[in-house]
């Protein structure tokens, strides 16, 4: 189905982004997957091309494109033509908005130019060994020591954990409140900050994921984002955008899986005719096509709502839920249609299948998304007793 949310300038931008990912990213994908992380240079190249923080103001080196459709295009084109393990989406659309939205003028002037150029690579550290989606269960703590905060604790499953220069760390700043969290920017080289080994994963081989350790890290007061006890509220505020980013990525992966499978069934033959000529193949792909079009329309509407600052938490949760669940069904059906070839890593559908499994977990599990949607319906046991 033709998508109606993009204007001619968006399509021109898409053509430019596509060429970048085809020429500068895709040729390195296999090597990056083998080494377990992308080269730092690719962030600098993306920055030079204007693909990092497109929304950032010109005074920080950005393009001042205050329109999330441009970020959506970058995510889609990287998935389709680049390397999904290049977490440009995390850098530009998930982490940097915390600095732009919560940072002081001094903090933005200090950090954003390097983020726009690709000199500073970003990460955010929320998840802990004993606390994933439950932010209130966070154990990392920060103590106010007058001229600095003393940060202790550990984080796990942190994307960009090995290569990040600036890491926004969520930690408990008020021991007497389960929601008393702060957001502290830890910089590469701070004494007491250590990175664990790169974690091996089922998929996303080119995207580095790490444990991080903080042992008496002295975080200057100038590195606190916003009020030091309002982090829970800040995290909740930005999670809607994070879930839309995840939804866009899931839809892009599902769409490319469908496209390569459609080509495959037209070419691969069995019993004297193309696989696509069998009724089962037609019916499976027809059903997926209808679901993809319906879900994509919903995701695009959420993008417009985000642009208008009207994207509600339950709508973002619904976008993330339906897109990640659909991605799972699409890649599974497409592997089946590939037959034995679908199990071979040389075929892209095999990687898409393993990469997709995390989509129903990160940025909030499908179960958490259902809780958020249910509470939006007024079905909250805390208020129904």
């Amino acid at each position: 189905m033709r998508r109606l949310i993009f204007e001619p300038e968006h399509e021109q931008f898409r053509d430019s982004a596509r060429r970048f990912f085809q020429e500068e990213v895709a040729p390195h994908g296999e090597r990056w997957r083998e080494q377990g992380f992308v080269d730092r240079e690719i962030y600098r190249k993306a920055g030079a091309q204007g693909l990092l923080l497109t929304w950032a103001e010109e005074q920080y080196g950005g393009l001042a494109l205050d329109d999330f459709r441009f970020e959506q295009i970058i995510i889609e084109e990287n998935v389709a033509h680049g390397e999904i393990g290049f977490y440009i989406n995390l850098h530009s659309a998930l982490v940097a908005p915390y600095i732009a939205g919560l940072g002081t003028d001094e903090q933005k002037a200090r950090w954003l130019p390097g983020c726009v150029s690709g000199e500073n690579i970003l990460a955010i550290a929320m998840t802990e060994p004993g606390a994933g989606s439950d932010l209130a269960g966070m154990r990392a703590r920060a103590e106010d020591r007058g001229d600095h905060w003393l940060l202790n604790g550990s984080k796990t499953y942190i994307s960009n954990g090995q290569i990040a220069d600036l890491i926004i760390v969520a930690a408990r700043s008020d021991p007497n409140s389960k929601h008393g969290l702060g957001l502290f920017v830890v910089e590469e080289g701070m004494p007491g900050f250590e990175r664990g080994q790169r974690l091996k994963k089922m998929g996303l081989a080119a995207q580095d994921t790490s444990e991080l350790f903080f042992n008496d890290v002295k975080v200057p007061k100038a590195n606190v984002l916003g009020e030091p006890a309002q982090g829970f509220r800040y995290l909740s505020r930005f999670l809607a955008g994070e879930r839309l980013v995840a939804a866009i990525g899931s839809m892009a992966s599902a769409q490319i899986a469908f496209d390569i499978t459609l080509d495959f069934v037209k070419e691969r033959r069995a019993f004297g005719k193309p696989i696509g000529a069998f009724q089962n193949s037609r019916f499976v792909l027809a059903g997926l096509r209808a679901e993809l079009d319906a879900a994509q329309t919903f995701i695009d509407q959420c993008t417009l709502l985000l642009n208008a600052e009207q994207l509600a938490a339950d709508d973002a949760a619904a976008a993330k839920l339906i897109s990640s669940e659909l991605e799972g069904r699409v890649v599974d059906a497409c592997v089946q249609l590939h037959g034995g070839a679908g199990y071979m890593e040389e075929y892209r559908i095999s990687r898409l299948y393993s990469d997709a499994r995390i989509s129903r977990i990160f940025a909030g599990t499908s179960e958490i998304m259902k809780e958020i949607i249910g509470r939006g319906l007024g079905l909250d046991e805390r208020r129904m007793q």
Side-chain angles (χ1 to χ4, degrees), residues 12-66:
Q12 293 173 4
F13 182 83
R14 185 184 294 277
D15 291 341
S16 176
R18 179 175 299 163
R19 286 194 299 272
F20 174 82
F21 289 115
Q22 289 174 331
E23 297 171 4
E24 300 291 347
V25 177
H28 305 288
E30 184 174 355
R31 177 172 61 82
W32 290 344
R33 290 190 293 272
E34 290 176 356
Q35 71 183 19
F37 56 92
V38 304
D39 298 335
R40 292 183 59 89
E41 179 64 21
I42 193 56
Y43 279 91
R44 290 189 283 268
K45 288 184 176 181
Q49 189 70 18
L51 296 177
L52 299 181
L53 283 66
T54 60
W55 45 265
E57 297 174 10
E58 293 179 358
Q59 68 189 88
Y60 305 121
L63 300 177
L65 298 174
D66 189 19

Side-chain angles (χ1 to χ4, degrees), residues 322-341:
I322 63 173
S323 60
S324 61
E325 293 288 340
L326 177 57
E327 179 189 14
R329 294 197 303 275
V330 170
V331 295
D332 186 74
C334 290
V335 166
Q336 190 72 19
L337 288 171
H338 274 74

Side-chain angles (χ1 to χ4, degrees), residues 33 202-204 257 260-261 331-332 334-336 338-357:
R33 290 190 293 272
M202 177 189 297
L204 297 177
I260 62 177
T261 302
V331 295
D332 186 74
C334 290
V335 166
Q336 190 72 19
H338 274 74
Y343 201 68
M344 300 297 111
E345 193 169 337
E346 65 181 282
Y347 284 85
R348 189 179 180 187
I349 190 61
S350 176
R351 298 196 303 273
L352 285 165
Y353 180 85
S354 56
D355 290 342
R357 189 57 188 90

